[in-house]
Amino acid sequence: MTSTPTTHAPGGSAPPLGSARLQPIWPFTTLAQAQAWQRDYRSGGHQPWHLDPAQTALSFTKGYLGFKEVDRVSSRSVNGRDARIGVGLSTPETTGTAAVIHLVRFGTAPDAPWEVVGTDDSTFSLTAPGYGSFARSPLVTGGRITGVDEGIHVQVRQPSSAAPLGSSCCTPAGGEDQPWTVTVPYSGAKDPVLTVIASTGGHIAEVERFSVTAVRTG
């Protein structure tokens, strides 16, 4: 996606993610799940990585998305309850950033866990479907890309399923800020928010850049 909004320190009536527009992508699908983790953490120190935005970003990238080669933090910006974490490849050929992941605290407590809400995009974007829009299959996806001999892989995922709900590979693309589009059929959606992931690579690694956005199922 192009950019998710920056959040501010929430007041008593603020939405759990700091903005009504933001969507909970991962690791929690609801505020109740985030609060259940808080109780477990307070009583027994359960999964402390939820309090670290960088570890949450890497777990999202390697665990949920399955991009095992994207395994390092390339940049870090934390402003109160809002964080942007760059993730990249640990290879001799590159030290660049594959994506900048946007995270916010899920809840108002000081120990609220970090939640992925999207990515900030530059040379590879995912602008369709619109962030937070209602999804139906087949899903029309698209954006813009700068690159040479790119092949775009698009997946539709939900946290409760290990496998993608649908995917398309690989749409040829390239040039300077050129549009791309592909339609992806999917089935089995049951979570309230789905993740749409576009990735490209193949020059030095299977995944060299990626972008994510969030769509709603109802």
Side-chain angles (χ1 to χ4, degrees), residues 57-143:
L58 287 175
S59 295
F60 170 73
T61 303
K62 298 196 299 177
Y64 180 43
L65 301 185
F67 298 160
K68 303 299 185 184
E69 294 175 297
V70 184
D71 60 357
R72 62 181 290 271
V73 172
S74 58
S75 65
R76 178 187 177 111
S77 175
V78 181
N79 182 15
R81 305 178 68 83
D82 191 277
R84 261 82 174 182
I85 305 296
V87 293
L89 303 165
S90 294
T91 69
E93 295 85 357
T94 182
T95 57
T97 294
V100 176
I101 298 174
H102 184 191
L103 306 96
V104 299
R105 295 276 198 177
F106 202 169
T108 59
D111 61 349
W114 289 97
E115 178 81 5
V116 175
V117 295
T119 53
D120 290 353
D121 304 333
S122 55
T123 60
F124 179 45
S125 66
L126 176 59
T127 56
Y131 182 81
S133 62
F134 289 101
R136 63 180 61 184
S137 180
L139 191 66
V140 178
T141 69

Side-chain angles (χ1 to χ4, degrees), residues 14 22 33 41 58 71 76 79 85 107 120 142 148 152 159 171 173-174 178 181 196 217:
L22 291 175
Q33 289 182 358
Y41 174 74
L58 287 175
D71 60 357
R76 178 187 177 111
N79 182 15
I85 305 296
D120 290 353
V148 179
I152 298 174
T171 302
Q178 292 298 302
T181 185
V196 185
T217 58

